[in-house]
Amino acid sequence: MRFLALLVTVLVLSGCVWTRLLDMKNQFKDFDRYIEPVNDGTSLLLKFKEPCVQPDDIGYLLGGDPTTKTTSVDKVTTWTYQLKRARPDSIGLTITLTSRDVLADSIKIPPEVLAFIPRDRLLAMIRAFGKAEIDKDKRQATAGLAGADAKPISPGRATIIAALGEPDATTAVDAEIQRLTYTFHLINKDTKDPKEIAKGPGSTLLLDLKAERLVELRFQAPRFNTWVKLDGSK
């Protein structure tokens, strides 16, 4: 009986998460009305004009609790989700959200991402997710850039490696496309020993390069996958 009650609770909570995430997807569709992008040093801050997601919704997707959670004297709570790779040369990604009540009023995109995806192209990708196709069974969102937004992104392998480090694997998708694979783990607030990193929930970033052009990006998290085609292809 306790198991059944727990199962019902989990289903209800996860259903609420997906409802809020779909609300955020709809806000991305009407980006200028709901989102204010702000340059924050080398990072990009997205301010939600009408907050609709909770900070721990991101933790649900990534498979765990925040790495840190602090509240300032003016009642602003900051949540960080730190993703690191289980290797000595690991370059981590830190996702930061703030909230003044239950809902997140901002999310900060890590500077490492902006190091190989220009700001305007990153914003175009976010807008594209407003029209993404959602596969509920696979828990996957697929988006694509079109028109002027599909102009080439040409960071090149060297720029990507400078931003993220050497990939965990490099494979040939076909005769033209090379795939760089990066595996990150969510850091628990109690993680002290680097050897413990690999025990955290894992997420995989796949970057497909055609020559020096980035043509496709996938992020596979424990509870959600995103897939965006950057070159206008179907």
Side-chain angles (χ1 to χ4, degrees):
M1 196 67 179
R2 287 184 178 179
F3 173 76
L4 180 60
L6 178 61
L7 178 61
V8 170
T9 300
V10 169
L11 291 174
V12 170
L13 289 176
S14 62
C16 292
V17 171
W18 293 115
T19 297
R20 290 191 294 270
L21 291 171
L22 286 174
D23 286 343
M24 184 169 68
K25 172 185 178 293
N26 290 332
Q27 289 195 2
F28 288 160
K29 190 174 182 179
D30 196 356
F31 188 89
D32 293 335
R33 175 181 175 183
Y34 293 105
I35 313 294
E36 178 187 359
V38 178
N39 289 328
D40 186 23
T42 56
S43 302
L44 176 63
L45 188 68
L46 300 180
K47 291 186 176 181
F48 299 107
K49 299 175 184 178
E50 297 183 20
C52 62
V53 295
Q54 297 181 8
D56 52 8
D57 292 342
I58 303 302
Y60 175 80
L61 298 181
L62 295 175
D65 295 325
T67 308
T68 65
K69 180 181 176 182
T70 58
T71 302
S72 65
V73 293
D74 55 352
K75 307 299 183 184
V76 176
T77 301
T78 300
W79 309 58
T80 68
Y81 293 93
Q82 186 177 14
L83 302 172
K84 294 201 72 174
R85 301 167 64 207
R87 49 188 295 158
D89 62 346
S90 174
I91 297 176
L93 301 176
T94 299
I95 302 169
T96 305
L97 301 98
T98 59
S99 66
R100 294 181 181 275
D101 47 35
V102 176
L103 300 176
D105 51 37
S106 75
I107 182 169
K108 184 181 291 186
I109 309 297
E112 292 81 7
V113 175
L114 290 166
F116 67 93
I117 301 179
R119 178 184 185 276
D120 63 325
R121 308 308 307 286
L122 185 59
L123 290 175
M125 289 168 58
I126 296 170
R127 292 173 189 269
F129 274 110
K131 300 178 181 179
E133 296 180 6
I134 304 297
D135 187 321
K136 293 182 179 179
D137 293 331
K138 294 181 179 179
R139 294 191 172 186
Q140 176 173 286
T142 304
L145 300 185
D149 288 335
K151 61 185 178 183
I153 301 177
S154 303
R157 179 186 173 97
T159 300
I160 293 173
I161 290 176
L164 300 177
E166 288 286 345
D168 296 297
T170 300
T171 54
V173 176
D174 55 32
E176 294 186 314
I177 296 178
Q178 184 182 70
R179 175 169 294 166
L180 309 184
T181 300
Y182 291 88
T183 300
F184 295 89
H185 297 274
L186 180 60
I187 300 300
N188 184 282
K189 61 182 178 62
D190 297 320
T191 301
K192 305 297 182 185
D193 188 341
K195 296 178 181 179
E196 298 292 311
I197 290 176
K199 294 182 179 180
S203 296
T204 302
L205 175 65
L206 304 175
L207 303 174
D208 286 0
L209 290 173
K210 185 176 183 180
E212 293 292 282
R213 292 189 295 119
L214 182 61
V215 295
E216 192 167 300
L217 180 153
R218 301 188 191 198
F219 186 73
Q220 301 171 335
R223 294 196 175 103
F224 194 60
N225 300 322
T226 57
W227 178 12
V228 58
K229 299 179 180 180
L230 305 170
D231 61 352
S233 63
K234 301 296 183 180

